Amino acid sequence: EESLPYKAVRDGLVTNPEALPLIEKVCEHLKTALELYHAGNRADCAVELSYAAKYWTNGTFKQCCENVIVKAGIPKAYRPLDE
């Protein structure tokens, strides 16, 4: 609950409706990663962190870059969500 993604969602800073569910997924994966880490399961923790990074990359691109800075869609090779 102290993570940047959680605070951004909680405080209404994620204003793009396409970005919000992606950042919420970041929060879910970070929570799971912490639980796995504290349980000593480092391998599964690393997998959860990779999912969090993927959603973070896509969510922040939608929030901050798409139609704002680069004015283009997310590149296909840019951490695809379907893998």
Side-chain angles (χ1 to χ4, degrees), residues 26-54:
V26 173
C27 298
E28 293 171 21
H29 286 290
L30 285 175
K31 182 178 183 209
T32 302
L34 282 172
E35 291 167 356
L36 290 165
Y37 178 83
H38 290 299
N41 190 341
R42 303 298 198 267
D44 288 340
C45 173
V47 171
E48 287 298 318
L49 287 175
S50 70
Y51 285 127
K54 179 168 49 172

Side-chain angles (χ1 to χ4, degrees), residues 1 3-10 14 20-35 48 51-53 55-56:
E1 294 176 358
S3 70
L4 179 65
Y6 180 85
K7 288 180 178 182
V9 170
R10 180 195 65 203
V14 182
L20 183 59
L22 299 173
I23 303 301
E24 289 172 335
K25 288 288 243 180
V26 173
C27 298
E28 293 171 21
H29 286 290
L30 285 175
K31 182 178 183 209
T32 302
L34 282 172
E35 291 167 356
E48 287 298 318
Y51 285 127
Y55 284 106
W56 177 254

